[in-house]
Coordinates of all heavy atoms in Angstrom, one line a residue:
H1 N -2.8 143.9 221.9 CA -1.8 142.9 222.2 C -2.3 141.6 222.8 O -3.3 141.7 223.6 CB -0.7 143.5 223.1 CG 0.3 144.3 222.4 ND1 1.4 143.8 221.8 CD2 0.5 145.7 222.4 CE1 2.2 144.8 221.3 NE2 1.7 145.9 221.6
A2 N -1.6 140.5 222.4 CA -2.1 139.2 223.0 C -2.1 139.2 224.5 O -3.0 138.6 225.1 CB -1.1 138.1 222.4
D3 N -1.1 139.8 225.1 CA -1.1 139.8 226.6 C -1.9 140.9 227.3 O -1.9 141.0 228.5 CB 0.4 139.8 227.1 CG 1.1 141.1 226.7 OD1 0.5 141.9 225.8 OD2 2.2 141.3 227.1
R4 N -2.6 141.7 226.4 CA -3.4 142.8 226.9 C -4.9 142.4 226.8 O -5.6 142.3 227.7 CB -3.1 144.1 226.3 CG -1.8 144.7 226.7 CD -1.4 145.9 225.9 NE -2.5 146.9 225.8 CZ -2.8 147.8 226.7 NH1 -2.1 147.9 227.8 NH2 -3.8 148.7 226.5
G5 N -5.3 142.2 225.6 CA -6.7 141.8 225.3 C -7.7 142.5 226.0 O -7.7 143.8 226.1
Q6 N -8.7 141.8 226.6 CA -9.8 142.5 227.4 C -10.7 143.4 226.6 O -11.2 144.4 227.1 CB -9.2 143.2 228.7 CG -8.3 142.2 229.5 CD -7.7 142.9 230.7 OE1 -8.4 143.0 231.8 NE2 -6.5 143.3 230.6
G7 N -10.9 143.0 225.3 CA -11.6 143.9 224.5 C -13.1 143.7 224.5 O -13.9 144.6 224.1
Q8 N -13.6 142.5 224.9 CA -15.0 142.2 224.9 C -15.7 142.8 226.2 O -16.1 142.0 227.0 CB -15.2 140.6 224.8 CG -14.9 140.2 223.3 CD -15.2 138.7 223.2 OE1 -15.8 138.1 224.0 NE2 -14.5 138.2 222.2
A9 N -15.8 144.1 226.2 CA -16.4 144.8 227.3 C -16.9 146.1 226.8 O -16.5 146.5 225.8 CB -15.4 145.0 228.5
E10 N -17.7 146.8 227.7 CA -18.2 148.1 227.2 C -17.0 149.1 227.1 O -17.2 150.1 226.3 CB -19.3 148.5 228.2 CG -20.5 147.7 228.1 CD -21.7 148.2 229.0 OE1 -21.4 148.3 230.2 OE2 -22.7 148.5 228.4
Y11 N -15.9 149.0 227.9 CA -14.8 149.9 227.8 C -13.6 149.0 227.8 O -13.5 148.0 228.4 CB -14.8 150.8 228.9 CG -15.8 151.9 228.9 CD1 -17.1 151.6 229.4 CD2 -15.7 153.1 228.2 CE1 -18.1 152.6 229.4 CE2 -16.7 154.1 228.2 CZ -17.9 153.8 228.8 OH -18.9 154.8 228.7
A12 N -12.5 149.4 227.0 CA -11.3 148.7 227.0 C -10.2 149.8 226.8 O -10.4 150.8 226.1 CB -11.2 147.8 225.8
T13 N -9.0 149.5 227.3 CA -7.9 150.4 227.2 C -7.0 149.9 226.0 O -6.9 148.7 225.7 CB -7.0 150.5 228.4 OG1 -6.6 149.2 228.8 CG2 -7.8 151.3 229.6
A14 N -6.3 150.9 225.4 CA -5.5 150.5 224.2 C -4.2 151.5 224.2 O -4.3 152.5 224.7 CB -6.3 150.5 223.0
L15 N -3.2 150.9 223.5 CA -2.0 151.7 223.3 C -2.1 152.3 221.9 O -2.8 151.8 221.0 CB -0.8 150.9 223.5 CG -0.5 150.3 224.8 CD1 0.6 149.3 224.8 CD2 -0.3 151.4 225.8
D16 N -1.4 153.4 221.6 CA -1.3 154.1 220.4 C -1.1 153.2 219.2 O -1.7 153.2 218.1 CB -0.3 155.2 220.4 CG -0.7 156.3 219.4 OD1 -1.9 156.6 219.2 OD2 0.2 156.9 218.8
E17 N -0.1 152.2 219.4 CA 0.3 151.3 218.3 C -0.8 150.3 218.0 O -0.8 149.7 216.9 CB 1.5 150.6 218.7 CG 1.3 149.6 219.9 CD 2.6 149.3 220.6 OE1 3.3 150.3 221.0 OE2 2.9 148.1 220.8
E18 N -1.8 150.2 218.8 CA -2.9 149.2 218.6 C -4.1 149.8 217.9 O -5.0 149.0 217.5 CB -3.4 148.7 220.0 CG -2.2 148.0 220.8 CD -2.6 147.7 222.2 OE1 -3.5 148.3 222.7 OE2 -2.1 146.6 222.7
V19 N -4.1 151.1 217.7 CA -5.4 151.8 217.4 C -5.2 152.6 216.0 O -4.1 153.2 215.9 CB -5.8 152.8 218.5 CG1 -7.2 153.4 218.1 CG2 -5.9 152.1 219.8
A20 N -6.2 152.5 215.2 CA -6.2 153.4 214.0 C -7.6 153.9 213.8 O -8.6 153.3 214.3 CB -5.8 152.6 212.8
L21 N -7.7 155.0 213.0 CA -9.1 155.5 212.8 C -9.9 154.5 211.9 O -9.4 153.8 211.0 CB -9.0 156.8 212.0 CG -8.4 158.0 212.7 CD1 -8.2 159.2 211.7 CD2 -9.1 158.4 213.9
K22 N -11.1 154.3 212.3 CA -11.9 153.3 211.7 C -12.2 153.7 210.1 O -12.4 154.9 209.9 CB -13.3 153.2 212.4 CG -14.3 152.2 211.8 CD -15.7 152.3 212.6 CE -16.5 153.5 212.3 NZ -16.9 153.5 210.9
P23 N -12.3 152.8 209.3 CA -12.8 153.2 207.9 C -14.1 153.9 208.0 O -15.1 153.4 208.7 CB -12.9 151.8 207.3 CG -12.0 150.9 208.0 CD -12.0 151.3 209.4
K24 N -14.2 155.0 207.3 CA -15.4 155.8 207.4 C -16.7 155.1 206.7 O -17.9 155.6 207.1 CB -15.2 157.2 206.7 CG -14.0 157.9 207.4 CD -13.7 159.3 206.7 CE -12.6 160.0 207.4 NZ -12.2 161.2 206.7
T25 N -16.4 154.3 205.8 CA -17.5 153.8 205.0 C -18.2 152.5 205.5 O -19.1 152.0 204.9 CB -16.9 153.5 203.6 OG1 -15.9 152.6 203.6 CG2 -16.6 154.8 202.8
I26 N -17.7 152.0 206.6 CA -18.3 150.8 207.2 C -18.7 151.1 208.7 O -18.4 152.1 209.3 CB -17.3 149.6 207.2 CG1 -16.1 149.9 208.0 CG2 -16.9 149.4 205.7 CD1 -15.1 148.7 208.1
S27 N -19.5 150.2 209.2 CA -20.0 150.3 210.5 C -19.1 149.8 211.6 O -18.1 149.1 211.2 CB -21.3 149.4 210.7 OG -21.1 148.1 210.5
H28 N -19.3 150.0 212.9 CA -18.5 149.5 213.9 C -18.6 147.9 213.9 O -17.6 147.2 214.2 CB -18.9 150.0 215.3 CG -18.5 151.4 215.6 ND1 -17.2 151.7 215.7 CD2 -19.3 152.5 215.6 CE1 -17.2 153.1 216.0 NE2 -18.4 153.6 215.9
R29 N -19.8 147.4 213.6 CA -19.9 146.0 213.5 C -18.9 145.4 212.5 O -18.2 144.4 212.8 CB -21.3 145.5 213.0 CG -22.4 145.9 214.0 CD -23.8 145.6 213.3 NE -24.9 145.6 214.2 CZ -26.1 145.1 213.8 NH1 -26.3 144.7 212.6 NH2 -27.1 145.1 214.7
E30 N -18.8 146.0 211.3 CA -17.9 145.5 210.3 C -16.5 145.7 210.6 O -15.6 144.9 210.4 CB -18.2 146.2 208.9 CG -19.7 145.8 208.4 CD -20.1 146.7 207.3 OE1 -20.0 148.0 207.4 OE2 -20.4 146.2 206.2
A31 N -16.2 146.9 211.3 CA -14.8 147.2 211.7 C -14.3 146.2 212.7 O -13.1 145.9 212.7 CB -14.7 148.6 212.1
A32 N -15.1 145.8 213.6 CA -14.7 144.9 214.6 C -14.3 143.6 214.2 O -13.6 142.8 214.9 CB -15.8 144.8 215.7
A33 N -14.7 143.2 213.0 CA -14.3 141.8 212.4 C -12.9 142.0 211.7 O -12.4 140.9 211.3 CB -15.4 141.5 211.3
L34 N -12.3 143.1 211.6 CA -11.2 143.3 210.6 C -9.8 143.2 211.2 O -8.9 142.7 210.6 CB -11.3 144.6 209.9 CG -12.4 144.7 208.9 CD1 -12.5 146.1 208.4 CD2 -12.2 143.8 207.8
P35 N -9.5 143.7 212.5 CA -8.1 143.9 212.8 C -7.2 142.7 212.7 O -6.1 142.7 212.1 CB -8.2 144.4 214.2 CG -9.5 145.2 214.2 CD -10.4 144.3 213.4
I36 N -7.6 141.5 213.3 CA -6.7 140.4 213.2 C -6.6 139.9 211.8 O -5.4 139.6 211.3 CB -7.2 139.3 214.2 CG1 -6.9 139.7 215.6 CG2 -6.5 138.0 213.8 CD1 -7.3 138.6 216.6

C-alpha cells in the first residue's frame, strides 16, 4: 500500500491482499519489477 511501503529493505511486512505467489518461471529480480 502507498501508505505502508518500506519495501527497500532486507525485511518488509505485508498484508495478505498485497501478496501473491511469485511466477515460478522468473527470478526474484524480474518479479520485483512487476507489481506496480
Side-chain angles (χ1 to χ4, degrees):
H1 275 280
D3 59 354
R4 287 171 50 82
Q6 304 179 84
Q8 288 181 19
E10 290 184 305
Y11 290 89
T13 58
L15 299 171
D16 204 37
E17 67 205 51
E18 300 171 330
V19 185
L21 294 176
K22 180 183 76 67
K24 297 176 182 177
T25 55
I26 64 175
S27 67
H28 286 290
R29 293 174 165 190
E30 294 168 308
L34 287 174
I36 287 178

